[in-house]
Amino acid sequence: MSNQLKIKLSIANRVYPLTINPKQEEGLRKATKKIEVMIGQFEQNYSVRDKQDVLAMCALQFAAQVEQKSIDKEYVNEEVQEKLEALDELLKQHL
């Protein structure tokens, strides 16, 4: 427990105290900044009355980005697999 770091992050005007591994600090602080920027964009572009709605939209946006990256990675893996199989077939023909 001695290598744990106590930090406070502010999201949507609320402070969240966390005890984390020091290696996580940079990522958490960057994520907090991205959330704050996104909150600002949603509040500026849409008439939002409740912070809960804005936070839900932020969560949806981040989750969609993660899922899209996963889908894109699967597509790239399939494409690479097809190319490797074609290359393997060419090698077999020449050997």
Side-chain angles (χ1 to χ4, degrees):
M1 187 81 174
S2 64
N3 63 345
Q4 297 294 297
L5 178 64
K6 292 182 185 250
I7 65 170
K8 291 181 181 179
L9 299 176
S10 177
I11 300 172
N13 299 323
R14 284 197 179 177
V15 176
Y16 297 92
L18 299 171
T19 302
I20 61 166
N21 182 313
K23 293 178 182 177
Q24 295 176 299
E25 184 179 13
E26 182 179 2
L28 287 168
R29 293 203 185 275
K30 284 184 176 182
T32 299
K33 285 181 184 178
K34 283 185 178 182
I35 292 168
E36 286 296 321
V37 167
M38 196 176 288
I39 287 170
Q41 290 172 343
F42 280 126
E43 287 178 336
Q44 185 178 9
N45 295 329
Y46 304 100
S47 77
V48 180
R49 296 183 187 147
D50 189 1
K51 283 282 189 200
Q52 184 66 34
D53 293 335
V54 175
L55 291 171
M57 292 304 296
C58 288
L60 177 61
Q61 190 81 8
F62 282 115
Q65 289 172 3
V66 168
E67 290 303 319
Q68 189 60 50
K69 284 181 183 179
S70 177
I71 290 167
D72 293 346
K73 185 177 178 182
E74 286 177 26
Y75 174 75
V76 167
N77 286 343
E78 288 174 11
E79 190 176 331
V80 167
Q81 182 66 33
E82 289 172 7
K83 288 180 178 181
L84 286 173
E85 288 172 0
L87 184 58
D88 186 47
E89 190 59 37
L90 282 171
L91 288 171
K92 284 179 183 175
Q93 290 174 3
H94 290 295
L95 291 178

